[in-house]
Amino acid sequence: MSLMEMEFERQSNPVDMIEFVAANNDWSFERSGEDEIAMTVEGRWADYHVSFSWMEEFEALHLASAFDIRIPDSRVNEVIRLLSYINGQVLMGHFDLWRQEDVIIFRQSLLLAGGAEPTNRQVEVLLSSAIDACEAYFQAFQFVVWSGMDAKSAMDAVLFETAGEA
């Protein structure tokens, strides 16, 4: 019997931990099913629609964080170019263009193979790193979509760091 064929008895649904963390942090949430929970997180640049889904077949807790941005057909190719630049910078997770819903979405998963249970800290870091990534690149998407900037210039603009003190 290979390790992949071994079955482990899970103590609880990992989404239960998300609900526990959300309740302890006074985050409003909606449990849309046994394996899914959704919440809206207020960021500096936008409100992010975050959902966590337990994917039993992969033993993974999947996070998706989306923000609404209407992308005109004329800017789709440049947004795809921008996604390529951004995903080259992001250490964990990645951004996608989800054309069905017309949103940019950040996705990341926490592997919980072998019956591992998520901790409060893992859930908080998973969520905060997703929001941090969305916040870091939100303006680049705005520059490409609404200002007509090319992807490279938009990346340079958001990655610009000041030195010294004013």
Side-chain angles (χ1 to χ4, degrees), residues 1 3-4 7 12 17 19 29 37 43 78 118 125 131 134 139 145-146 149:
M1 175 183 287
L3 288 176
M4 294 298 291
E7 290 191 30
S12 64
M17 176 58 72
E19 185 174 345
F29 61 88
I37 190 169
E78 202 60 33
V125 168
I131 299 304
C134 290
Q139 287 186 304
V145 172
W146 300 118
M149 205 179 264

Side-chain angles (χ1 to χ4, degrees), residues 76-96:
V76 169
N77 287 339
E78 202 60 33
V79 167
I80 291 170
R81 226 174 261 110
L82 179 61
L83 287 169
S84 177
Y85 285 129
I86 291 171
N87 286 334
Q89 296 289 315
V90 177
L91 178 61
M92 294 186 299
H94 68 279
F95 284 92
D96 281 327

Side-chain angles (χ1 to χ4, degrees), residues 3 11 34 55 70-71 74 89 92 104-105 107 111-112 117 119 135-136 140 142 150 155 158:
L3 288 176
Q11 298 291 334
E34 182 179 328
M55 302 172 79
R70 303 293 174 229
I71 302 167
S74 62
Q89 296 289 315
M92 294 186 299
I104 300 294
I105 189 166
R107 298 169 22 143
L111 184 62
L112 297 169
E117 299 290 333
T119 65
E135 289 280 283
Q142 290 288 334
D150 66 276
M155 279 296 289
V158 300

Side-chain angles (χ1 to χ4, degrees), residues 25-56:
N25 286 289
D26 292 324
W27 299 334
S28 60
F29 61 88
E30 181 180 326
R31 186 85 181 249
S32 52
E34 182 179 328
D35 292 335
E36 189 167 326
I37 190 169
M39 60 190 76
T40 299
V41 177
E42 184 179 330
R44 181 174 169 199
W45 304 113
D47 287 343
Y48 302 103
H49 310 287
V50 180
S51 68
F52 289 90
S53 302
W54 171 240
M55 302 172 79
E56 181 71 39

Side-chain angles (χ1 to χ4, degrees), residues 3-4 6-18 35 52-63 108-124 126:
L3 288 176
M4 294 298 291
M6 295 179 76
E7 290 191 30
F8 297 92
E9 185 69 30
R10 188 161 296 282
Q11 298 291 334
S12 64
N13 186 325
V15 176
D16 296 340
M17 176 58 72
I18 308 295
D35 292 335
F52 289 90
S53 302
W54 171 240
M55 302 172 79
E56 181 71 39
E57 64 275 17
F58 301 108
E59 292 187 277
L61 184 61
H62 179 260
L63 173 142
Q108 186 174 351
S109 295
L110 176 63
L111 184 62
L112 297 169
E117 299 290 333
T119 65
N120 290 4
R121 182 72 180 135
Q122 286 175 313
V123 169
E124 289 169 354
L126 187 64

Side-chain angles (χ1 to χ4, degrees), residues 153-166:
S153 297
M155 279 296 289
D156 291 344
V158 300
L159 295 179
F160 176 77
E161 291 186 34
T162 57
E165 295 180 23

